[in-house]
Amino acid sequence: MVSNSGFEETIAAGRRVEPRDAMPEAYRKTMVRQVAQHAHSEIIGMQPEGNWITRAPSLRRKAILLAKVQDEAGHGMYLYSAAETLGVSRDALTRMLIEGRQKYSSIFNYPTPSYADVGVIGWLVDGAAICNQVPLCRSSYGPYARAMIRICKEESFHQRQGYELLMTMMRGTDAQREMVQDSVNRFWWPSLMMFGPPDAESPNTERSMAWGIKRHTNDELRQRFVDMTVPQAERLGVTLPDPDLEWNAERGRYDFGAVDWDEFRAVVAGNGPCNAERVARRRAAHEDGAWVREAAMAHAGKHR
Amino acid sequence: MDDDNPYDLLAADDEDQRWAFGTGFTDPFAGVGTALPPGVPAKALARYCLALGDDALIYSHRLQEWVTRMPELEEETAIANIALDLLGQARLLLSRAAFADPSLGPDGLPADEDRLAFFRAPGQFRNVRFAERADADFAELMARLLVFSAWRLELCAALRACPDPVVAAITARSVSELTYHRDYAAAWVVRLGDGTGYSRARMREGLAAVGPLTGELFTASAVERDLPGVAVDPGTLRAGFDSALGAVLDAATLDAPAPLTDAPLAPAPLTDAPLTDAPLTDAPQSDGPLGRDGAHTPALSRILAELQSVARAHPDATW
Amino acid sequence: MPESTADQGEWPLFEVFLRGKRGLNHVHVGSLHAADPAMALRHARDLYCRRNEGVSIWVALSAAITASSPEEKDAFFAPAGDKVYRHPTFYPIPDDVPHM
């Protein structure tokens, strides 16, 4: 029987763990949950933005948004593919999502009532995701790291297009500028929450760091995101809705205000404005589509 | 690897062959001159391009409505791919229409792809009514996609010989896209027709549902008649279409439902009314029952109310 | 709650290999689900070649792939090769495992 000493050696040497390698059960379970929840986030994330495809106000913006949402489906599939190498089927993971036994990024439980949200999601939400994801390109689990590299390359266009839309709107009419500011007011704090609870409340961080599952802590990444984004906001001409946001010369970083962790916990627990709707849409597509999938298998069975 | 700047990692050119991102793009319109060919009436050409562009624009909208509703994730990328291809065709055709006749622009402003898409009224759209119908389920979606793609493929294949070089280039590129779309839909019609008993019943219903407006696809209107030698007479597409459809239905072990095999509608009488004066109504006209004449079903108004909503709310905005 | 059984229509897993225009050989890029090989090829084109042209695609049922591991030491492994990409039926996750 292969021992886990090969695993420890691989981690210590900074090499990648591959599907056939021995690994502690806790590592496998953590990896399945992390990769699956990341996959679910991409698929659910198609909805808040997909909402605006048919109403995009120029044909070029429509094409860009449709391509972006299509990419998100693709990213979900790359990630499910990585999760499946750990011995769980995509179908089982889909059922866990639909039944609420696995989660997805809570940012997607917020509604997107205005078209400016498309730009702000590209800028802030994809920006936060990139901050999270670039370090994951060095995840200790090989299939996940490789999926992350492909995803990061595709996502760089998403963030840039979002920001470019916002720049266009901020140079436009008063109504467009108000729409952007309103959207930023609604999405700023939820974007900070994307990095997860504060380090003090994240019990698994130390072990996850030791195993190369996490490369940076939640607070480190959140700080990095703020530092990168504040100058972008200034350049755009929007105000970030935090009166405590201030450059701290001593730290060489921005100080920022307190996140409302009660809101975060409520949304994570399923009481966000759109939780039910997001899952219901995914459930409907999956369940309504069962007869189609079955027909395809039946046909394949007759024609082997 | 420095991960302070998230983009450093992305810029590294590591020749990783697993990466399928943009390894070269060839411009299909390189070397195509944009000048309108002499002897081709510009306004008539514009109306024709508008009609073909509207077909693609409106049908792409219907396909976009299926994003996040497909029965499997792989089908999400497939349907988005088809919707994107058609949107691309629409943009090129509307732009050509605008170039050929800037006076097509509604409200007296010069036309461009966006003014045409977002600021015309329903009665000014020239798409076939077939494209504006909603699909009740996946079977009907595939039935409509099969008919639309097979028809448009025949049309674009014939238009590769168009005297207008831009239309010829657009349709040449469209042929490979539409072949893919048609084959995708055909594969699904076969799987559903010859799948389970339940899927077979649904597929039959889907084909029956798309039958009624199919005749319009092969019926010439003023838009085609005003452009002899350039526009394709849609009646000539019937044979190729029937052959393709027949092959698919055979493989699906289904019979063609009656409305799909109907003869084309009787041609509408010639009208002298210029395009932009078409009545703003959705009720089919007694002297012009065709979408090409601006007569549409109520579905088009609903589509446009959604499609045009943000643009119309900010008429002076740039996006 | 009914016992978790696989969906009647669950599509098998296929592995995807691509050779790019400048490539000399096919490289594994990931996996996807399809009902049959022709569908798998089409899906592979949609999923992995959205931004690329003129790419050669191979798909193979995951269950049909036999692979070795470069880290293997003979003494620890049976002589027969094993499947690199485990088929989904091997490890169903029990319902009562939290956070999974």
Side-chain angles (χ1 to χ4, degrees):
Chain A
M1 209 51 229
V2 182
S3 72
N4 284 339
S5 62
F7 170 81
E8 301 294 344
E9 216 178 277
T10 299
I11 297 289
R15 288 194 308 264
R16 291 188 172 155
V17 177
E18 296 295 345
R20 279 209 69 246
D21 297 346
M23 59 186 81
E25 190 54 19
Y27 177 88
R28 195 188 67 83
K29 282 186 176 160
T30 302
M31 232 39 248
V32 166
R33 183 167 63 87
Q34 177 166 332
V35 178
Q37 294 192 157
H38 193 169
H40 298 325
S41 297
E42 294 283 350
I43 299 304
I44 296 291
M46 292 169 69
Q47 291 181 40
E49 293 174 279
N51 190 20
W52 286 98
I53 292 169
T54 52
R55 294 175 289 170
S58 82
L59 297 185
R60 174 176 167 260
R61 294 288 175 200
K62 191 189 290 280
I64 288 169
L65 185 55
L66 185 47
K68 180 180 195 227
V69 172
Q70 185 193 37
D71 276 354
E72 283 156 15
H75 295 173
M77 280 185 275
Y78 300 155
L79 291 163
Y80 284 126
S81 163
E84 291 198 78
T85 65
L86 288 162
V88 61
S89 74
R90 188 210 286 178
D91 191 70
L93 295 175
T94 301
R95 275 180 286 124
M96 280 186 249
L97 167 67
I98 290 172
E99 291 165 14
R101 289 182 287 141
Q102 276 182 343
K103 301 199 176 298
Y104 51 90
S105 182
S106 54
I107 189 75
F108 299 122
N109 289 320
Y110 291 86
T112 49
S114 105
Y115 179 65
D117 294 340
V118 168
V120 169
I121 286 178
W123 172 40
L124 296 182
V125 175
D126 288 337
I130 288 172
C131 268
N132 259 326
Q133 285 167 187
V134 168
L136 292 174
C137 295
R138 291 179 299 120
S139 166
S140 55
Y141 190 58
Y144 188 39
R146 288 186 287 273
M148 290 315 309
I149 291 171
R150 187 177 305 115
I151 289 172
C152 282
K153 283 187 179 176
E154 291 182 0
E155 236 157 55
S156 64
F157 120 77
H158 297 179
Q159 194 195 20
R160 285 172 180 149
Q161 292 294 348
Y163 193 76
E164 192 242 333
L165 170 60
L166 296 179
M167 291 188 70
T168 303
M169 291 178 73
M170 289 305 288
R171 287 193 303 257
T173 65
D174 288 345
Q176 285 177 298
R177 278 193 293 275
E178 278 164 31
M179 214 194 289
V180 174
Q181 183 62 62
D182 167 76
S183 176
V184 170
N185 292 345
R186 286 182 287 104
F187 275 96
W188 173 247
W189 292 103
S191 300
L192 296 188
M193 294 177 200
M194 283 177 72
F195 297 95
D199 295 349
E201 292 172 33
S202 306
N204 291 323
T205 297
E206 203 182 307
R207 188 178 68 180
S208 292
M209 303 271 285
W211 277 349
I213 290 174
K214 264 174 123 88
R215 294 293 184 185
H216 300 275
T217 71
N218 295 353
D219 288 337
E220 276 169 11
L221 290 174
R222 191 174 0 256
Q223 179 68 64
R224 178 178 305 198
F225 173 71
V226 172
D227 293 337
M228 279 174 45
T229 307
V230 172
Q232 292 170 348
E234 281 167 5
R235 181 69 184 77
L236 205 50
V238 296
T239 307
L240 296 174
D242 179 1
D244 298 323
L245 191 58
E246 202 176 335
W247 176 251
N248 182 323
E250 216 178 284
R251 289 202 306 137
R253 301 241 179 263
Y254 282 93
D255 290 336
F256 54 95
V259 173
D260 181 351
W261 293 112
D262 286 340
E263 179 184 323
F264 173 74
R265 277 186 283 270
V267 174
V268 166
N271 296 319
C274 295
N275 294 54
E277 184 188 320
R278 302 290 182 232
V279 173
R281 172 79 74 90
R282 184 73 193 100
R283 175 194 290 273
H286 189 69
E287 290 177 357
D288 294 350
W291 69 271
V292 174
R293 298 191 298 272
E294 281 165 31
M297 286 310 292
H299 182 261
K302 295 186 208 179
H303 295 273
R304 268 191 227 297
Chain B
M1 217 176 286
D2 170 22
D3 59 348
D4 274 359
N5 180 345
Y7 299 110
D8 277 356
L9 180 75
L10 310 177
D13 180 19
D14 55 8
E15 294 280 73
D16 183 355
Q17 297 300 322
R18 286 171 290 191
W19 175 241
F21 182 90
T23 58
F25 171 76
T26 48
D27 179 5
F29 299 105
V32 175
T34 56
L36 294 170
V40 173
K43 285 186 192 291
L45 178 68
R47 285 198 294 271
Y48 190 56
C49 291
L50 196 66
L52 301 186
D54 283 348
D55 288 342
L57 180 71
I58 298 304
Y59 192 51
S60 177
H61 181 99
R62 281 301 190 204
L63 297 178
Q64 293 160 31
E65 291 175 334
W66 278 86
V67 172
T68 72
R69 296 190 154 92
M70 295 294 277
E72 188 51 278
L73 297 180
E74 284 81 359
E75 307 308 323
E76 292 284 354
T77 43
I79 207 73
N81 175 49
I82 296 172
L84 258 170
D85 283 349
L86 288 173
L87 180 58
Q89 291 174 24
R91 295 183 64 194
L92 291 169
L93 288 161
L94 292 184
S95 296
R96 189 56 174 170
F99 180 89
D101 182 7
S103 78
L104 271 182
D107 310 324
L109 293 168
D112 63 25
E113 63 178 11
D114 288 332
R115 289 221 61 80
L116 291 172
F118 295 99
F119 293 96
R120 278 182 295 153
Q124 295 170 311
F125 276 74
R126 301 297 150 177
N127 56 285
V128 288
R129 287 172 296 163
F130 187 85
E132 65 204 38
R133 309 301 297 154
D135 295 308
D137 69 359
F138 185 80
E140 195 177 326
L141 174 68
M142 288 301 128
R144 188 177 311 279
L145 182 60
L146 175 62
V147 169
F148 183 88
S149 314
W151 166 69
R152 193 175 172 87
L153 174 58
E154 296 293 319
L155 178 55
C156 287
L159 279 170
R160 285 177 299 185
C162 185
D164 178 46
V166 173
V167 171
I170 294 170
T171 52
R173 192 175 89 158
S174 301
V175 163
S176 47
E177 293 174 347
L178 291 163
T179 305
Y180 189 83
H181 305 170
R182 183 198 62 183
D183 292 350
Y184 171 80
W188 270 112
V189 170
V190 170
R191 276 182 213 116
L192 297 182
D194 189 21
T196 60
Y198 182 73
S199 70
R200 186 183 185 71
R202 299 282 281 256
M203 195 62 245
R204 276 212 187 94
E205 278 174 38
L207 287 163
V210 307
L213 286 172
T214 303
E216 187 180 13
L217 304 179
F218 303 99
T219 306
S221 70
V223 170
E224 286 94 5
R225 286 193 298 269
D226 289 348
L227 205 57
V230 177
V232 168
D233 174 358
T236 62
L237 307 174
R238 190 88 214 201
F241 171 86
D242 281 347
S243 165
L245 202 73
V248 176
L249 295 179
D250 276 348
T253 69
L254 292 169
D255 299 317
L260 275 176
T261 55
D262 277 351
L265 303 176
L270 277 171
T271 167
D272 292 329
L275 191 74
T276 49
D277 286 348
L280 302 178
T281 173
D282 293 320
Q285 300 296 293
S286 57
D287 62 350
L290 306 176
R292 292 273 188 257
D293 300 316
H296 295 283
T297 71
L300 185 65
S301 295
R302 287 192 289 272
I303 287 174
L304 294 178
E306 188 168 316
L307 195 159
Q308 300 181 339
S309 55
V310 177
R312 282 187 184 266
H314 305 269
D316 303 322
T318 305
W319 302 98
Chain C
M1 179 181 293
E3 190 192 16
S4 308
T5 52
D7 184 330
Q8 291 283 67
E10 195 179 342
W11 293 350
L13 198 60
F14 285 79
E15 301 303 325
V16 180
F17 305 82
L18 293 186
R19 186 187 63 216
K21 272 194 291 203
R22 289 180 311 215
L24 297 175
N25 50 269
H26 286 75
V27 179
H28 180 251
V29 292
S31 64
L32 50 78
H33 289 268
D36 59 62
M39 190 199 278
L41 213 53
R42 184 175 287 276
H43 285 158
R45 187 261 206 199
D46 289 340
L47 182 53
Y48 289 103
C49 306
R50 277 195 301 289
R51 291 172 168 78
N52 210 357
E53 293 168 9
V55 171
S56 167
I57 306 174
W58 289 354
V59 293
L61 269 172
S62 307
I65 293 176
T66 305
S68 67
S69 168
E71 307 291 290
E72 270 175 6
K73 305 277 187 281
D74 292 326
F76 288 118
F77 291 90
D82 199 350
K83 295 180 170 108
V84 169
Y85 299 98
R86 297 190 180 101
H87 198 272
T89 56
F90 280 40
Y91 293 94
I93 295 178
D95 288 0
D96 60 356
V97 175
H99 310 303
M100 175 87 33

